[in-house]
């Protein structure tokens, strides 16, 4: 059982127990939300740089697909292991300026990648980037909730859309800055990291002032809704993790191997494959902003149904069509599938009240872990079979969305 799940039925008794988890109780603080979203863009553009230059690294260091997958595995598993621990720690002891520290670790990873002389050095750079992501995501997600003014889905979607936009921009920038000129030009991404450090230092100052204000308020008691039975909470968490597994195994097949698929199957150039990867990731960024607000209005379970299971017809068709339909299908898949994570995360924080950092760390960490394991596994499968076979197998992953039927309707309970 994951830490904190057994505490889910007990509401948080007062602000003193978990001051970092409280919202302002007023309007959303848009300046902070936009700063977090833009910082997420900068952070994830750096994270997306690594898979974007895989064709370059594969050629320069004579790597096979298994070794390529292990780079992603190192990046993602580092973040996966650390994020729940960071979230649990900052639930108890908020660290307002840890966000800037996380971006500094990503800066170190970029610098190491630019001058990496060997495969082991590339793995080290990936590990540093993973540490940066682990520090950044749980605390940034918590501050987004604090600044939401009660619009949790909207705030989380705005935060996530920055990350997805960064994931889309990373390959695009790599296509024009790194691929034509070589590995050393990844150092240009350090500018993004330094800008992120400055912005996040300002966000940290706001959060520190907010914490002082919260601690000065009278204690608040009670919960928003009657507690759920422990078995229901545990079952729901397991279902949500299964949905995360489905989403991120499929997404990593696109982020890590879509360029290779396009090159092998349709004989496009490396630069063209990067641009088509950008098209997919840009669609994912656009789709992200819809999930949270729609969930706020119509219910989170509806969004989860649509975003996971609803993408299955398109993933099943994609491996069997030509280049133009592949590009069009990738756009639809990006738009639909991307709305899931922010909604799942908000749903999970409502299942386990008062543990925003732990829940965010657990779900971000699990997502990163599944992406890392998926990259390694799919790379091995690609070496043993073919890239096309990988996409034929991954096409069935969204059918796991049928498990959504086991989730309770929290919106109905809240209204009741």
């Amino acid at each position: 059982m994951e830490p904190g799940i057994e505490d889910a039925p007990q509401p948080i008794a007062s602000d003193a127990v978990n001051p970092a988890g409280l919202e302002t109780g007023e309007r959303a603080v848009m300046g902070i939300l936009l700063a977090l979203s833009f910082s997420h863009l900068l952070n994830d553009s750096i994270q997306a740089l690594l898979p974007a230059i895989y064709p370059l690294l594969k050629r320069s260091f004579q790597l096979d697909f298994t070794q390529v997958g292990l780079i992603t595995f190192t990046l993602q598993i580092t973040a996966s292991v650390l994020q729940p621990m960071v979230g649990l720690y900052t639930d108890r002891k908020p660290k307002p300026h840890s966000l800037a520290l996380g971006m500094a670790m990503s800066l170190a990873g970029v610098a190491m990648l630019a001058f990496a002389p060997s495969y082991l050095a590339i793995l080290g750079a990936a590990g540093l980037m993973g540490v940066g992501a682990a520090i950044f995501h749980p605390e940034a997600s918590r501050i987004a909730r604090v600044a939401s003014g009660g619009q949790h889905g909207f705030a989380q979607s705005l935060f996530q859309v920055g990350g997805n936009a960064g994931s889309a921009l990373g390959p695009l920038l790599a296509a024009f800055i790194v691929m034509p000129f070589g590995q050393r030009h990844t150092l240009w991404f350090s500018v993004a990291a330094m800008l992120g450090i400055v912005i996040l230092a300002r966000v940290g100052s706001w959060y520190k002032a907010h914490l002082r204000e919260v601690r000065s308020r009278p204690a608040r008691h009670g919960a928003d809704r009657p507690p759920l039975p422990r078995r229901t909470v545990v079952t729901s968490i397991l279902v949500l993790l299964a949905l995360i597994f489905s989403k991120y195994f499929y997404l990593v097949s696109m982020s890590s191997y879509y360029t290779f698929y396009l090159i092998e199957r349709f004989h496009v150039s490396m630069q063209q494959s990067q641009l088509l990867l950008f098209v997919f990731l840009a669609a994912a960024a656009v789709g992200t902003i819809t999930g949270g607000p729609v969930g706020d209005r119509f219910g989170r379970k509806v969004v989860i149904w649509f975003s996971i299971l609803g993408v299955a017809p398109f993933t099943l068709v994609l491996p069997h069509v030509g280049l133009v339909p592949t590009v069009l299908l990738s756009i639809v898949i990006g738009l639909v599938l991307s709305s899931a994570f922010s909604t799942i995360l908000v749903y999970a924080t409502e299942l386990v009240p008062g543990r925003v950092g732990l829940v965010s760390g657990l779900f971000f960490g699990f997502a990163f872990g599944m992406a890392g394991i998926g990259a390694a596994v799919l790379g091995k499968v690609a070496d043993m079979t073919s890239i096309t076979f990988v996409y034929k197998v991954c096409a069935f992953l969204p059918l796991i969305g049928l498990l959504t039927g086991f989730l309770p309707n929290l919106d109905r309970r809240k209204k009741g």
Side-chain angles (χ1 to χ4, degrees):
M1 183 180 294
E2 294 293 340
I5 291 178
E6 66 274 16
D7 298 318
Q10 288 78 36
I12 295 301
S14 72
D15 292 357
V17 175
N18 187 21
L22 299 176
E23 298 85 34
T24 62
E26 301 170 355
R27 293 180 300 173
V29 186
M30 286 302 300
I32 296 300
L33 292 178
L34 290 172
L36 287 169
S37 183
F38 184 64
S39 299
H40 202 182
L41 181 152
L42 297 173
N43 179 83
D44 283 24
S45 67
I46 294 170
Q47 303 292 320
L49 166 66
L50 199 51
I53 63 170
Y54 279 167
L56 176 65
L57 296 176
K58 188 176 188 294
R59 182 181 61 193
S60 299
F61 292 92
Q62 300 297 305
L63 307 179
D64 58 29
F65 283 120
T66 300
Q67 290 173 307
V68 169
L70 285 175
I71 300 173
T72 301
F73 177 80
T74 301
L75 170 67
Q76 306 286 25
I77 210 69
T78 304
S80 174
V81 171
L82 291 178
Q83 284 192 68
M85 292 188 287
V86 171
L88 180 61
Y89 179 75
T90 54
D91 271 341
R92 298 174 179 176
K93 297 181 179 181
K95 300 294 181 184
H97 293 291
S98 62
L99 294 177
L101 174 62
M103 192 65 77
M105 297 299 293
S106 295
L107 172 61
V110 169
M112 187 172 181
L113 178 63
F115 297 99
S118 66
Y119 178 65
L120 286 178
I122 292 171
L123 293 179
L128 284 172
M129 291 180 182
V131 172
I135 296 172
F136 173 80
H137 285 98
E139 196 71 343
S141 182
R142 181 211 312 283
I143 298 175
R145 186 175 178 91
V146 168
S148 70
Q151 301 177 67
H152 303 148
F154 166 74
Q156 198 57 232
S157 283
L158 185 58
F159 173 61
Q160 292 297 332
V161 78
N164 281 13
S167 296
L169 283 174
L172 184 65
L173 294 173
F176 290 103
I177 296 175
V178 182
M179 299 299 285
F181 303 108
Q183 181 182 339
R184 294 289 175 87
H185 282 72
T186 60
L187 199 60
W188 283 104
F189 282 75
S190 64
V191 176
M194 289 187 283
L195 178 59
I197 290 171
V198 172
I199 294 171
L200 291 173
R202 299 286 297 272
V203 171
S205 297
W206 176 87
Y207 185 38
K208 186 176 182 179
H210 172 75
L211 289 173
R212 284 199 300 266
E213 179 188 347
V214 166
R215 288 179 180 125
S216 69
R217 297 176 190 168
R220 184 178 67 187
H221 299 269
D224 290 335
R225 62 169 68 86
L228 289 165
R230 183 174 302 167
R231 179 177 295 180
T232 301
V233 172
V234 173
T235 300
S236 299
I237 291 291
L238 292 175
V239 167
L240 293 175
L241 292 176
L243 298 178
I244 293 291
F245 161 79
S246 166
K247 170 182 166 67
Y248 278 89
F249 247 67
Y250 191 86
L251 282 181
V252 81
S253 75
M254 298 295 284
S255 63
S256 291
Y257 299 109
Y258 187 51
T259 52
F260 296 112
Y261 175 76
L262 294 171
I263 292 168
E264 180 180 301
R265 180 136 193 242
F266 303 112
H267 309 293
V268 301
S269 68
M270 282 198 298
Q271 195 168 44
Q272 286 174 322
S273 71
Q274 295 289 343
L275 293 174
L276 293 177
L277 176 60
F278 167 75
V279 169
F280 166 75
L281 295 173
V286 172
T288 300
I289 197 63
T290 62
V294 172
D296 284 340
R297 183 173 180 83
F298 298 105
R300 314 207 192 283
K301 190 173 176 179
V302 173
V303 176
I304 295 171
W305 269 119
F306 175 74
S307 60
I308 302 292
L309 187 60
V311 81
F314 306 104
T315 62
L316 289 167
V317 171
L318 184 139
H320 306 285
V321 296
L323 177 59
V324 173
T326 294
V327 174
L328 295 176
L329 286 170
S330 75
I331 293 171
V332 176
I333 291 168
L335 287 169
V336 177
L337 193 59
S338 62
S339 63
F341 186 76
S342 58
T343 303
I344 289 173
L345 186 58
V346 173
Y347 186 97
T349 58
E350 293 174 351
L351 280 171
V352 190
R355 297 295 185 91
V356 177
L358 174 62
V359 172
S360 298
L362 172 63
F363 276 82
F364 274 110
F366 188 77
F368 275 65
M370 286 301 98
I373 293 170
V377 170
L378 296 178
K380 188 67 175 179
V381 172
D383 280 332
M384 295 173 61
T385 57
S386 69
I387 288 290
T388 301
F389 180 78
V390 166
Y391 281 89
K392 288 180 179 178
V393 172
C394 289
F396 292 91
L397 287 171
L399 295 178
I400 294 174
L402 290 167
L403 294 175
T404 304
F406 292 99
L407 296 175
N409 193 330
L410 298 183
D411 304 281
R412 186 177 301 162
R413 287 175 57 83
K414 189 171 184 178
K415 291 174 183 176

